[in-house]
Amino acid sequence: MDRDSYDEDDDRQNLIHQNDTKQLPHHLPTGTNSTSSPRSTFHIDDIESQIRRRFKLNLNKRYLIAVLLPLLIIVIYFSTDIRSLFSSNISSLRFDSVTDRMKESELRALYLLNQQHSSLLSLWNRTSVYNNISSVQFDDIKDGLLKQISLNKNIQHVLLSPYRTGNLSAELGNSNVSDTSFGGYGFDRCRKVDQRFSERKTIEWKPQSNKFLLAICASGQMSNHLICLEKHIFFAALLNRVLVIPSSKFDYQYSRVLDIEHINSCLGREVVISFEKFMETKKNHPHIDKFSCYFSSPQLCYLDDEHVKKLKGLGLSMGKLEAPWKEDVMKPSKKTVQDVEAKFKSDVDVIAIGDVFYADLESEWVMQPGGPIAHKCRTLIEPSNLILLTAERFIQTFLGKNYIALHFRRHGFQKFCNAKKPSCFYPIPQAADCITRVVERANTPVIYLSTDAAESETGLLQSLIVLDGKTVPLVKRPPRDSAEKWDALLYRHGLEEDPQVDAMLDKTICAIASVFIGASGSTFTEDILRLRKDWGSASLCDEYLCQGEEPNFIAGDE
């Protein structure tokens, strides 16, 4: 504006100077008085009037140009890319690209901030479920906060991305930017549990080769019997006896699901034998010298007349069943090693003890990782190698390394659970919410489903397990298909269509999973948890379904 004012004043001075020095016309006579002639006066006035009009017109034009020129420049500036007049098309495209990237990044950042708001609100609501904030696992809160730190780093990355070189879509496409540093505080929320195997309390099992203990297991299904068998191993070690595996004519066919010789190789000596080998040793005329019952009620040894008849049908002779103490199945009391040695130790060759499934004997010692016996393996009672290899082939085919295993017990479970306080039978929508929270915490893409539920229940469950707008697939073992080879080992060895083999295969797949969700009160679940503990696969995220919650609806009693 200073420059424009200077030019306008200079022009005005020139016009005034020219008017002041204006000369008379040459045709006027010399010495004539201009004022004495009206024509001359009028003429001069007319000239001056024309000069003034021209001067005023020129001045108005100058002012008009001075006012309009800046406005014109502003209009041109905002309607036209000035740089395009002085730069190449490449520069213009670069400018447009950066502008678009900035807009896209800002929108992306707003979206991420909204996600962060929702996650923080979810974390807050999760803590409000508990009556006492101290009951909330510290790792759960820590994990939630670290996720928000990571999301915040992601937002910073998005906002800065327009100023970086490279492909914009590639930079913005990664919505899960991970920052594992966190000042050294990064951690895996569902990391494996440190079982501290080196701190195990163990005893040596060095049995006398001519002293035997017959394992008697009668309560429940296969999972109960495996737990019973595990406790019998502890009894045999305490009493320095070889353990005789039950006959398939009285119990399950353990050789189809377990590798009995695996137990012997783990200890480097013969500590267990099959019932058939025991019969050969006794020349097919075995006699049970002492039949002791761990439980005296509701009936001796938890055996009814049908079980006793089956035992005698194996060619065994025996005396009457005896109980060294009063012990109720419904209210088992805690027993010590000294109690067992005092009541069950004997010099006779063959003894039988039944049923010890409910026995509460040195539980912390018996249930520790790897069990109470000193050995060189991960665990003594585990699936056969054929089942283990088949499980691994299934995992490689359908699941991959990172998956959750879910034991979803339903058939006949409602009545059992509702008799407990609180109940452990959950409506499917509530169960789906609980499962989804574990999926979010574990960050797993797929769930292996081990269940006896009907298709109507599993179908509804599948439709409700949704995370970030995506359905998390539930995978079950498919029916036999000759085109699939993952289960060929079982068919090759005649183990197909055996319900006990199928059950052990399910357990094995669940035991290898990254995270396991079990059914509270189920011995099937408890045996999986034992394997996970012994194999070192147990996770900090392992839990019972809807652990810490009560069902939001419970049916009435009959």
Side-chain angles (χ1 to χ4, degrees):
M1 183 177 288
D2 291 341
R3 177 62 182 264
D4 293 340
S5 299
Y6 172 79
D7 292 340
E8 184 180 335
D9 291 342
D10 185 52
D11 289 345
R12 187 180 303 166
Q13 287 176 3
N14 291 338
L15 286 172
I16 293 173
H17 173 73
Q18 290 174 4
N19 187 53
D20 291 343
T21 57
K22 185 72 175 178
Q23 305 223 348
L24 296 176
H26 292 286
H27 61 269
L28 289 175
T30 302
T32 303
N33 188 348
S34 63
T35 59
S36 63
S37 173
R39 180 182 178 87
S40 298
T41 302
F42 175 80
H43 182 70
I44 292 172
D45 291 341
D46 185 59
I47 293 174
E48 289 179 352
S49 177
Q50 291 181 14
I51 292 174
R52 287 191 187 99
R53 285 197 301 269
R54 290 178 181 176
F55 171 77
K56 188 175 180 180
L57 183 61
N58 290 335
L59 189 61
N60 289 341
K61 288 181 179 179
R62 300 263 180 190
Y63 272 115
L64 186 62
I65 293 173
V67 172
L68 292 178
L69 184 59
L71 292 175
L72 184 61
I73 293 173
I74 292 172
V75 171
I76 294 173
Y77 179 81
F78 283 103
S79 62
T80 308
D81 186 356
I82 297 298
R83 290 186 299 176
S84 65
L85 302 175
F86 306 99
S87 60
S88 66
N89 292 334
I90 297 177
S91 299
S92 175
L93 290 173
R94 186 182 300 117
F95 176 76
D96 291 340
S97 177
V98 171
T99 302
D100 292 341
R101 289 168 63 182
M102 288 178 65
K103 291 179 180 178
E104 187 178 346
S105 297
E106 288 167 358
L107 291 174
R108 179 67 180 163
L110 287 172
Y111 169 75
L112 292 174
L113 284 170
N114 182 266
Q115 275 193 326
Q116 188 177 44
H117 174 268
S118 299
S119 298
L120 287 171
L121 187 62
S122 175
L123 183 62
W124 173 260
N125 290 336
R126 200 175 304 169
T127 61
S128 66
V129 172
Y130 300 87
N131 294 327
N132 189 346
I133 191 66
S134 62
S135 67
V136 182
Q137 292 186 358
F138 176 71
D139 274 355
D140 205 19
I141 298 176
K142 189 176 180 181
D143 174 63
L145 292 176
L146 285 181
K147 284 182 178 178
Q148 299 316 306
I149 294 172
S150 177
L151 185 56
N152 187 273
K153 294 288 288 183
N154 194 7
I155 296 170
Q156 294 181 48
H157 170 84
V158 169
L159 288 172
L160 290 173
S161 62
Y163 304 100
R164 298 173 180 155
T165 58
N167 184 280
L168 176 63
S169 298
E171 290 184 10
L172 297 180
N174 182 11
S175 60
N176 294 314
V177 177
S178 59
D179 184 353
T180 57
S181 60
F182 292 129
Y185 295 103
F187 76 112
D188 179 8
R189 173 67 182 89
C190 295
R191 62 190 180 278
K192 303 303 179 186
V193 177
D194 183 4
Q195 301 291 359
R196 301 183 178 180
F197 289 102
S198 60
E199 300 176 11
R200 288 172 59 221
K201 178 183 178 182
T202 60
I203 61 171
E204 295 289 334
W205 186 6
K206 295 180 178 180
Q208 301 178 56
S209 59
N210 62 340
K211 303 293 182 182
F212 302 96
L213 167 62
L214 270 67
I216 306 297
C217 299
S219 61
Q221 304 299 316
M222 171 65 94
S223 296
N224 296 46
H225 288 224
L226 290 176
I227 294 172
C228 174
L229 195 62
E230 183 183 18
K231 292 183 178 181
H232 267 297
I233 286 176
F234 190 41
F235 275 81
L238 291 176
L239 302 175
N240 298 317
R241 291 178 175 272
V242 174
L243 183 66
V244 180
I245 301 298
S247 167
S248 59
K249 295 179 181 180
F250 174 78
D251 202 341
Y252 290 105
Q253 193 170 352
Y254 291 101
S255 60
R256 293 176 70 86
V257 295
L258 303 176
D259 185 354
I260 303 302
E261 284 306 313
H262 164 78
I263 301 175
N264 291 329
S265 62
C266 287
L267 276 85
R269 63 183 74 93
E270 189 173 65
V271 293
V272 296
I273 61 173
S274 65
F275 183 80
E276 290 71 24
K277 186 172 183 179
F278 168 73
M279 293 293 284
E280 292 176 6
T281 302
K282 292 298 179 179
K283 310 294 184 185
N284 291 322
H285 297 289
H287 177 72
I288 300 177
D289 302 308
K290 186 178 180 180
F291 204 134
S292 298
C293 297
Y294 190 94
F295 290 99
S296 58
S297 61
Q299 59 191 109
L300 288 173
C301 291
Y302 209 75
L303 293 176
D304 55 20
D305 293 340
E306 185 67 26
H307 281 97
V308 174
K309 188 183 297 185
K310 281 185 177 181
L311 282 173
K312 291 180 178 180
L314 296 175
L316 290 170
S317 61
M318 65 185 77
K320 66 176 183 177
L321 279 61
E322 300 176 349
W325 52 36
K326 290 184 177 180
E327 190 72 8
D328 190 344
V329 168
M330 303 304 294
K331 298 178 181 178
S333 59
K334 292 183 180 296
K335 301 296 183 181
T336 66
V337 168
Q338 292 74 24
D339 293 333
V340 170
E341 290 176 338
K343 297 295 183 178
F344 293 92
K345 214 157 197 182
S346 173
D347 291 330
V348 300
D349 291 343
V350 181
I351 67 171
I353 300 177
D355 175 317
V356 298
F357 170 73
Y358 294 101
D360 188 359
L361 171 64
E362 304 282 6
S363 57
E364 291 185 3
W365 194 359
V366 172
M367 299 303 293
Q368 67 182 335
I373 311 300
H375 58 82
K376 60 183 180 180
C377 301
R378 296 183 300 179
T379 187
L380 295 179
I381 297 180
E382 65 178 18
S384 68
N385 193 51
L386 287 175
I387 293 178
L388 178 59
L389 287 174
T390 301
E392 291 176 346
R393 290 181 177 185
F394 177 85
I395 293 169
Q396 184 179 4
T397 303
F398 294 99
L399 301 172
K401 181 180 180 180
N402 188 26
Y403 67 95
I404 288 176
L406 169 64
H407 176 217
F408 194 55
R409 172 77 185 274
R410 302 297 280 186
H411 182 68
F413 206 49
Q414 187 175 35
K415 184 176 180 180
F416 167 80
C417 280
N418 286 355
K420 300 173 64 177
K421 302 298 179 185
S423 173
C424 53
F425 191 87
Y426 297 90
I428 288 179
Q430 184 179 1
D433 286 342
C434 297
I435 296 166
T436 302
R437 288 199 296 268
V438 178
V439 172
E440 181 180 17
R441 188 160 66 248
N443 192 28
T444 51
V446 66
I447 299 172
Y448 177 69
L449 179 61
S450 173
T451 187
D452 57 0
E455 189 66 32
S456 58
E457 293 186 72
T458 58
L460 177 59
L461 182 67
Q462 173 65 93
S463 68
L464 293 174
I465 302 179
V466 179
L467 185 63
D468 295 333
K470 297 180 180 179
T471 299
V472 181
L474 297 177
V475 178
K476 294 192 293 184
R477 285 188 295 109
R480 169 66 179 167
D481 188 336
S482 59
E484 297 177 0
K485 300 301 180 183
W486 62 268
D487 56 353
L489 284 175
L490 299 183
Y491 280 78
R492 195 180 303 159
H493 290 82
L495 297 176
E496 74 281 3
E497 298 178 358
D498 184 328
Q500 301 310 321
V501 172
D502 288 343
M504 185 59 79
L505 181 57
D506 257 16
K507 284 184 181 181
T508 307
I509 296 171
C510 290
I512 299 174
S514 304
V515 174
F516 175 63
I517 304 173
S520 177
S522 167
T523 52
F524 189 92
T525 280
E526 294 306 314
D527 202 37
I528 292 171
L529 291 174
R530 175 189 68 83
L531 281 173
R532 290 179 64 79
K533 174 185 59 183
D534 293 352
W535 284 354
S537 58
S539 162
L540 289 174
C541 293
D542 289 358
E543 63 177 51
Y544 296 114
L545 179 65
C546 293
Q547 185 169 306
E549 294 184 30
E550 293 188 17
N552 58 33
F553 186 88
I554 300 176
D557 297 330
E558 295 179 4

